[in-house]
Amino acid sequence: MAKVSLHLLRELYSESVKILGNSYAPYSNFHVGAAVLMENDRGERKMFTGTNVENASYGLTVCAERVALLKGVSEGYRRVVALSLVAESDGEIKEVVPCGACLQVMAEFGDENLPVYNGAKVFKLGDLLPHTFNLRV
Ligand code: THU
């Protein structure tokens, strides 16, 4: 996969910050915004954003990263090139990494070199989730 520039990751991060205000998190008050750059089979790239969306039935909550990723996949953009996320709670920015469920979804559509940027550090998907579940065992 082509290397992704820090400039691009910063752009994604600023889109994550922009979308953060749409986070629906009345139960945890932990707001998360995510932005993903995705690519379709024609090699066209497009950015998708998402926020966490909580539910009174807590387990139905969906994370920001999965909202963004699934928006892209459902529009035909099946390859994830880079992802960024930001979280805010008690008026403070929190430098978080994606939860395990989101990492597994990322692994479905991206490779181990996929950069994950939280505004402070660039991680590689393969470092965050070295072993993924798959059916080819
Ligand atoms: N959350 C995300 O949006 N992304 C993650 O990777 C982990 C957690 C959300 C879910 C819930 O609304 C809130 O953060 C607290 O867990």
Side-chain angles (χ1 to χ4, degrees):
M1 185 202 292
K3 264 201 142 223
V4 175
S5 70
L6 191 56
H7 174 75
L8 178 69
L9 291 175
R10 287 204 179 111
E11 241 176 73
L12 280 179
Y13 182 76
S14 89
E15 292 302 315
S16 319
V17 172
K18 274 192 210 160
I19 202 76
L20 192 56
N22 291 341
S23 159
Y24 179 73
Y27 304 103
S28 71
N29 286 312
F30 196 89
H31 302 276
V32 186
V36 281
L37 185 67
M38 311 227 17
E39 194 173 86
N40 65 15
D41 284 347
R42 292 200 294 268
E44 296 160 340
R45 291 181 171 193
K46 192 170 169 181
M47 192 190 321
F48 297 88
T49 56
T51 71
N52 52 335
V53 181
E54 297 190 344
N55 191 277
S57 176
Y58 292 178
L60 297 182
T61 291
V62 186
C63 296
E65 301 92 308
R66 270 177 290 157
V67 170
L69 287 159
L70 300 185
K71 277 165 77 174
V73 173
S74 60
E75 296 275 325
Y77 291 75
R78 290 200 176 160
R79 208 170 70 79
V80 53
V81 178
L83 180 143
S84 83
L85 76 162
V86 63
E88 177 275 324
S89 167
D90 294 327
E92 276 177 25
I93 294 293
K94 311 282 181 187
E95 286 148 6
V96 293
V97 293
C99 79
C102 290
L103 293 174
Q104 177 71 33
V105 173
M106 274 176 229
E108 185 77 26
F109 302 106
D111 66 32
E112 74 264 18
N113 293 314
L114 166 64
V116 175
Y117 182 50
N118 67 0
K121 196 171 171 209
V122 185
F123 298 89
K124 281 198 327 185
L125 176 59
D127 291 334
L128 294 174
L129 188 70
H131 302 284
T132 57
F133 174 77
N134 75 77
L135 300 173
R136 300 172 301 277
V137 284

